Structure formats: structure tokens, C-alpha cells
Amino acid sequence: MEHVNANSRKPWVVGVSGASGTPYAASVLRALLAAGEAVDLVVSRASRLTLLDETGIGLRDAHWREDLAQWLARGADGKPDTFGEIGLDDVRYWPAGDLAAGPSSGSYAVKGMIIVPASTACVAGVALGLSKDLLQRAASVTLKERRPLIVAVRETPLNGQTLKHLVTLDEAGAVVLPASPAFYAGATHIQDLVDFVAGRALDAAGVPHTLYRRWEGELGGASRESG
């Protein structure tokens, strides 16, 4: 019998590691849900500390739905309820310590995985195949099953060891996507810069979105829109 997940269709696994940049993860999650995609969410233990520090929100396993709704409604500038109520029916939450969870197995059907933001520790763990928690294990499974893996690394500067780990991931088939906002899209708000990075991650995943203004080969477009 074929194993299917609770969403009845293949989800994207979204892994959130402990790097600074939780607004990037929130933007990716909102856009995936807006595109009608199902999501399997894995938040590392280190990321919970970052989320608490950056937003004041504590993500609790037993109350994840309530806490996630509060997080996704929050703008990148810290204002609560910027995005209103976000439907979470297509989200399945897996505790990071649950190594028996669905995404830990290659027979669990998913479209791929986005790690956003990806810390250097997470990058190292995935590159070395450590699988110390569900996030790293799910990423290793994604690579071995030849599914899309997008790694939105968020660190600066990068040392030589991390650069080697990123090359290893690239050679294994992952898309290494530094969280580097661009300015040609006419950003006028911090949310615009966050959404640009999230949009590029979704581009790599092949998921349609309207998070940023695309380059159309015409100079001055950004300045005219923001003027």
C-alpha cells in the first residue's frame, strides 16, 4: 500500500534553522500557502530561540498552530497582525526531535525541501550527513532521493569551511541561495527586501508567486515605482 501524508498531496518540507532571519521563513511559508501548496514544517530547537529573540514569539509543540498563526501574521518590521489571519489547514508540524516523523523517510512523498534561513551549523550538518535532528535528516533524505533542496544560507562573512560545505551541497544537487536582498525590484520597506529573498527561494522551487517585481530589461523601473 502506498503511504500518503495527512495533506493528501505532496507537501514542501520547510526547515527553519537557528540563523537570524525568521522573517524570511515567514514570507516563504505565507507564499507557499497562498500558492495552494501543502507544507510540512520543521523548526529546529536553536531556531526557537532566534524566533523568540526576533519576534517575542515562543513556538511550542503543543500549541504550534496558535503560535505559528501569530508568527505568520507579523510583519518583518515587527508589527503584529500585518498580514491578518493565515489559514493553516495545509500545514503539518513535526517536532525537530522526532526522528520517526514522515520527512525522515524517503518513502514519505514530498516535492522537496526549503531550508530558510539556513545557519552555518545546519549547512555543515547537511553537507556532512550528520542527521542530528529531523531538519538535517529531512535534508539528507531530500538529497538522496534526488528531490529539490533549496538552502537559503544566512551568514556573513563566510569562512573557508562553510564555503567548502556549500560547494559540497551544490555538488550534491542542492540550490545554494544566500539570503541577499536585491534593490532593483524597487524596495521601499524592509518587508520588500525580505520578500525578494523569499521569492527567489520559491523561484528555485518552481512555485509561482508575486512577492517581488521582476527584472524586465528596462533601466530605471525601480526608481519610477518608488517615486
Side-chain angles (χ1 to χ4, degrees), residues 176-204:
V176 176
L177 193 145
S180 301
F183 295 86
Y184 64 77
T188 59
H189 191 276
I190 185 174
Q191 189 68 55
D192 299 327
L193 298 175
V194 167
D195 286 347
F196 178 87
V197 172
R200 294 298 286 147
L202 292 174
D203 288 344

mmCIF file of all heavy atoms in Angstrom, residues 176-204:
data_model
loop_
_atom_site.group_PDB
_atom_site.id
_atom_site.type_symbol
_atom_site.label_atom_id
_atom_site.label_comp_id
_atom_site.label_asym_id
_atom_site.label_seq_id
_atom_site.Cartn_x
_atom_site.Cartn_y
_atom_site.Cartn_z
ATOM 1 N N VAL A 176 22.110 26.478 -3.609
ATOM 2 C CA VAL A 176 22.621 27.337 -2.534
ATOM 3 C C VAL A 176 22.156 28.755 -2.814
ATOM 4 O O VAL A 176 22.538 29.362 -3.815
ATOM 5 C CB VAL A 176 24.155 27.264 -2.445
ATOM 6 C CG1 VAL A 176 24.664 28.248 -1.389
ATOM 7 C CG2 VAL A 176 24.600 25.839 -2.110
ATOM 8 N N LEU A 177 21.314 29.283 -1.940
ATOM 9 C CA LEU A 177 20.669 30.562 -2.185
ATOM 10 C C LEU A 177 20.939 31.497 -1.001
ATOM 11 O O LEU A 177 20.229 31.480 -0.003
ATOM 12 C CB LEU A 177 19.154 30.338 -2.355
ATOM 13 C CG LEU A 177 18.332 31.485 -2.911
ATOM 14 C CD1 LEU A 177 17.208 30.946 -3.778
ATOM 15 C CD2 LEU A 177 17.742 32.343 -1.794
ATOM 16 N N PRO A 178 22.009 32.296 -1.085
ATOM 17 C CA PRO A 178 22.292 33.221 0.013
ATOM 18 C C PRO A 178 21.147 34.211 0.215
ATOM 19 O O PRO A 178 20.532 34.669 -0.758
ATOM 20 C CB PRO A 178 23.561 33.957 -0.463
ATOM 21 C CG PRO A 178 24.188 33.015 -1.451
ATOM 22 C CD PRO A 178 23.041 32.351 -2.141
ATOM 23 N N ALA A 179 20.857 34.507 1.455
ATOM 24 C CA ALA A 179 19.792 35.468 1.770
ATOM 25 C C ALA A 179 20.317 36.874 1.514
ATOM 26 O O ALA A 179 20.631 37.632 2.436
ATOM 27 C CB ALA A 179 19.333 35.298 3.213
ATOM 28 N N SER A 180 20.393 37.228 0.231
ATOM 29 C CA SER A 180 20.967 38.507 -0.193
ATOM 30 C C SER A 180 19.915 39.308 -0.947
ATOM 31 O O SER A 180 19.696 39.074 -2.141
ATOM 32 C CB SER A 180 22.183 38.273 -1.101
ATOM 33 O OG SER A 180 23.168 37.516 -0.440
ATOM 34 N N PRO A 181 19.250 40.243 -0.286
ATOM 35 C CA PRO A 181 18.216 41.043 -0.968
ATOM 36 C C PRO A 181 18.817 41.882 -2.091
ATOM 37 O O PRO A 181 19.957 42.342 -2.000
ATOM 38 C CB PRO A 181 17.669 41.934 0.160
ATOM 39 C CG PRO A 181 18.071 41.265 1.430
ATOM 40 C CD PRO A 181 19.375 40.584 1.142
ATOM 41 N N ALA A 182 18.050 42.090 -3.143
ATOM 42 C CA ALA A 182 18.442 42.982 -4.233
ATOM 43 C C ALA A 182 17.585 44.240 -4.180
ATOM 44 O O ALA A 182 16.539 44.261 -3.529
ATOM 45 C CB ALA A 182 18.273 42.277 -5.576
ATOM 46 N N PHE A 183 18.025 45.275 -4.881
ATOM 47 C CA PHE A 183 17.351 46.569 -4.808
ATOM 48 C C PHE A 183 16.725 47.004 -6.132
ATOM 49 O O PHE A 183 16.060 48.034 -6.186
ATOM 50 C CB PHE A 183 18.343 47.627 -4.305
ATOM 51 C CG PHE A 183 18.794 47.365 -2.893
ATOM 52 C CD1 PHE A 183 19.868 46.522 -2.641
ATOM 53 C CD2 PHE A 183 18.139 47.935 -1.814
ATOM 54 C CE1 PHE A 183 20.276 46.256 -1.344
ATOM 55 C CE2 PHE A 183 18.539 47.681 -0.520
ATOM 56 C CZ PHE A 183 19.601 46.830 -0.282
ATOM 57 N N TYR A 184 16.913 46.206 -7.194
ATOM 58 C CA TYR A 184 16.340 46.590 -8.486
ATOM 59 C C TYR A 184 14.823 46.424 -8.512
ATOM 60 O O TYR A 184 14.154 46.931 -9.424
ATOM 61 C CB TYR A 184 16.977 45.791 -9.626
ATOM 62 C CG TYR A 184 16.735 44.304 -9.588
ATOM 63 C CD1 TYR A 184 15.519 43.743 -9.975
ATOM 64 C CD2 TYR A 184 17.755 43.444 -9.198
ATOM 65 C CE1 TYR A 184 15.309 42.383 -9.957
ATOM 66 C CE2 TYR A 184 17.554 42.073 -9.170
ATOM 67 C CZ TYR A 184 16.331 41.549 -9.552
ATOM 68 O OH TYR A 184 16.135 40.185 -9.525
ATOM 69 N N ALA A 185 14.268 45.721 -7.521
ATOM 70 C CA ALA A 185 12.825 45.495 -7.514
ATOM 71 C C ALA A 185 12.044 46.660 -6.905
ATOM 72 O O ALA A 185 10.824 46.598 -6.782
ATOM 73 C CB ALA A 185 12.500 44.208 -6.755
ATOM 74 N N GLY A 186 12.743 47.726 -6.518
ATOM 75 C CA GLY A 186 12.067 48.917 -6.009
ATOM 76 C C GLY A 186 11.634 48.825 -4.569
ATOM 77 O O GLY A 186 10.562 49.309 -4.199
ATOM 78 N N ALA A 187 12.460 48.208 -3.736
ATOM 79 C CA ALA A 187 12.112 48.055 -2.328
ATOM 80 C C ALA A 187 11.985 49.407 -1.632
ATOM 81 O O ALA A 187 12.838 50.273 -1.774
ATOM 82 C CB ALA A 187 13.165 47.212 -1.619
ATOM 83 N N THR A 188 10.892 49.591 -0.892
ATOM 84 C CA THR A 188 10.693 50.802 -0.095
ATOM 85 C C THR A 188 10.445 50.472 1.365
ATOM 86 O O THR A 188 10.252 51.375 2.169
ATOM 87 C CB THR A 188 9.483 51.597 -0.623
ATOM 88 O OG1 THR A 188 8.315 50.774 -0.569
ATOM 89 C CG2 THR A 188 9.712 52.045 -2.054
ATOM 90 N N HIS A 189 10.477 49.191 1.706
ATOM 91 C CA HIS A 189 10.157 48.750 3.058
ATOM 92 C C HIS A 189 10.968 47.492 3.349
ATOM 93 O O HIS A 189 11.323 46.740 2.432
ATOM 94 C CB HIS A 189 8.653 48.448 3.150
ATOM 95 C CG HIS A 189 8.148 48.238 4.543
ATOM 96 N ND1 HIS A 189 8.245 47.015 5.175
ATOM 97 C CD2 HIS A 189 7.550 49.073 5.426
ATOM 98 C CE1 HIS A 189 7.717 47.106 6.395
ATOM 99 N NE2 HIS A 189 7.299 48.340 6.564
ATOM 100 N N ILE A 190 11.250 47.252 4.616
ATOM 101 C CA ILE A 190 12.012 46.061 4.988
ATOM 102 C C ILE A 190 11.314 44.789 4.506
ATOM 103 O O ILE A 190 11.960 43.822 4.112
ATOM 104 C CB ILE A 190 12.250 46.024 6.515
ATOM 105 C CG1 ILE A 190 13.162 44.846 6.870
ATOM 106 C CG2 ILE A 190 10.941 45.943 7.273
ATOM 107 C CD1 ILE A 190 13.559 44.829 8.333
ATOM 108 N N GLN A 191 9.989 44.803 4.470
ATOM 109 C CA GLN A 191 9.252 43.625 4.012
ATOM 110 C C GLN A 191 9.542 43.324 2.550
ATOM 111 O O GLN A 191 9.591 42.162 2.140
ATOM 112 C CB GLN A 191 7.749 43.819 4.213
ATOM 113 C CG GLN A 191 6.921 42.564 3.959
ATOM 114 C CD GLN A 191 7.180 41.482 4.995
ATOM 115 O OE1 GLN A 191 7.055 41.725 6.198
ATOM 116 N NE2 GLN A 191 7.538 40.288 4.546
ATOM 117 N N ASP A 192 9.767 44.366 1.754
ATOM 118 C CA ASP A 192 10.093 44.165 0.335
ATOM 119 C C ASP A 192 11.411 43.413 0.177
ATOM 120 O O ASP A 192 11.541 42.544 -0.689
ATOM 121 C CB ASP A 192 10.189 45.513 -0.390
ATOM 122 C CG ASP A 192 8.890 46.293 -0.366
ATOM 123 O OD1 ASP A 192 7.824 45.648 -0.395
ATOM 124 O OD2 ASP A 192 8.945 47.530 -0.317
ATOM 125 N N LEU A 193 12.398 43.746 1.019
ATOM 126 C CA LEU A 193 13.698 43.081 0.949
ATOM 127 C C LEU A 193 13.582 41.629 1.386
ATOM 128 O O LEU A 193 14.191 40.730 0.792
ATOM 129 C CB LEU A 193 14.710 43.823 1.821
ATOM 130 C CG LEU A 193 14.992 45.269 1.402
ATOM 131 C CD1 LEU A 193 15.907 45.952 2.412
ATOM 132 C CD2 LEU A 193 15.629 45.297 0.013
ATOM 133 N N VAL A 194 12.803 41.391 2.437
ATOM 134 C CA VAL A 194 12.568 40.026 2.904
ATOM 135 C C VAL A 194 11.853 39.218 1.827
ATOM 136 O O VAL A 194 12.226 38.080 1.515
ATOM 137 C CB VAL A 194 11.750 40.041 4.211
ATOM 138 C CG1 VAL A 194 11.222 38.652 4.551
ATOM 139 C CG2 VAL A 194 12.601 40.577 5.353
ATOM 140 N N ASP A 195 10.815 39.805 1.231
ATOM 141 C CA ASP A 195 10.025 39.095 0.228
ATOM 142 C C ASP A 195 10.837 38.781 -1.023
ATOM 143 O O ASP A 195 10.564 37.792 -1.713
ATOM 144 C CB ASP A 195 8.791 39.911 -0.148
ATOM 145 C CG ASP A 195 7.726 39.893 0.930
ATOM 146 O OD1 ASP A 195 7.825 39.062 1.860
ATOM 147 O OD2 ASP A 195 6.785 40.713 0.845
ATOM 148 N N PHE A 196 11.832 39.612 -1.337
ATOM 149 C CA PHE A 196 12.674 39.323 -2.503
ATOM 150 C C PHE A 196 13.413 38.009 -2.306
ATOM 151 O O PHE A 196 13.436 37.156 -3.196
ATOM 152 C CB PHE A 196 13.677 40.455 -2.751
ATOM 153 C CG PHE A 196 14.585 40.171 -3.920
ATOM 154 C CD1 PHE A 196 14.202 40.512 -5.202
ATOM 155 C CD2 PHE A 196 15.806 39.540 -3.734
ATOM 156 C CE1 PHE A 196 15.025 40.219 -6.287
ATOM 157 C CE2 PHE A 196 16.633 39.251 -4.810
ATOM 158 C CZ PHE A 196 16.241 39.587 -6.090
ATOM 159 N N VAL A 197 14.012 37.843 -1.137
ATOM 160 C CA VAL A 197 14.749 36.604 -0.854
ATOM 161 C C VAL A 197 13.797 35.413 -0.848
ATOM 162 O O VAL A 197 14.082 34.360 -1.434
ATOM 163 C CB VAL A 197 15.496 36.709 0.476
ATOM 164 C CG1 VAL A 197 16.094 35.364 0.876
ATOM 165 C CG2 VAL A 197 16.595 37.761 0.398
ATOM 166 N N ALA A 198 12.645 35.577 -0.200
ATOM 167 C CA ALA A 198 11.656 34.500 -0.179
ATOM 168 C C ALA A 198 11.201 34.159 -1.594
ATOM 169 O O ALA A 198 11.048 32.985 -1.953
ATOM 170 C CB ALA A 198 10.465 34.902 0.682
ATOM 171 N N GLY A 199 11.016 35.180 -2.416
ATOM 172 C CA GLY A 199 10.599 34.957 -3.788
ATOM 173 C C GLY A 199 11.633 34.205 -4.596
ATOM 174 O O GLY A 199 11.292 33.336 -5.417
ATOM 175 N N ARG A 200 12.892 34.518 -4.382
ATOM 176 C CA ARG A 200 13.951 33.801 -5.111
ATOM 177 C C ARG A 200 13.997 32.336 -4.679
ATOM 178 O O ARG A 200 14.269 31.448 -5.496
ATOM 179 C CB ARG A 200 15.302 34.479 -4.875
ATOM 180 C CG ARG A 200 15.404 35.886 -5.451
ATOM 181 C CD ARG A 200 15.231 35.878 -6.963
ATOM 182 N NE ARG A 200 16.408 35.341 -7.626
ATOM 183 C CZ ARG A 200 16.391 34.636 -8.759
ATOM 184 N NH1 ARG A 200 15.232 34.351 -9.337
ATOM 185 N NH2 ARG A 200 17.492 34.202 -9.306
ATOM 186 N N ALA A 201 13.728 32.070 -3.405
ATOM 187 C CA ALA A 201 13.672 30.683 -2.932
ATOM 188 C C ALA A 201 12.523 29.943 -3.615
ATOM 189 O O ALA A 201 12.670 28.785 -4.042
ATOM 190 C CB ALA A 201 13.510 30.643 -1.413
ATOM 191 N N LEU A 202 11.381 30.609 -3.747
ATOM 192 C CA LEU A 202 10.244 29.989 -4.419
ATOM 193 C C LEU A 202 10.505 29.827 -5.914
ATOM 194 O O LEU A 202 10.043 28.857 -6.529
ATOM 195 C CB LEU A 202 8.985 30.805 -4.176
ATOM 196 C CG LEU A 202 8.478 30.786 -2.725
ATOM 197 C CD1 LEU A 202 7.311 31.739 -2.557
ATOM 198 C CD2 LEU A 202 8.073 29.391 -2.313
ATOM 199 N N ASP A 203 11.227 30.760 -6.507
ATOM 200 C CA ASP A 203 11.627 30.610 -7.906
ATOM 201 C C ASP A 203 12.421 29.317 -8.088
ATOM 202 O O ASP A 203 12.204 28.556 -9.031
ATOM 203 C CB ASP A 203 12.486 31.787 -8.363
ATOM 204 C CG ASP A 203 11.695 33.075 -8.539
ATOM 205 O OD1 ASP A 203 10.444 33.011 -8.603
ATOM 206 O OD2 ASP A 203 12.335 34.144 -8.607
ATOM 207 N N ALA A 204 13.364 29.094 -7.174
ATOM 208 C CA ALA A 204 14.194 27.893 -7.250
ATOM 209 C C ALA A 204 13.365 26.630 -7.079
ATOM 210 O O ALA A 204 13.700 25.579 -7.629
ATOM 211 C CB ALA A 204 15.299 27.955 -6.198
#
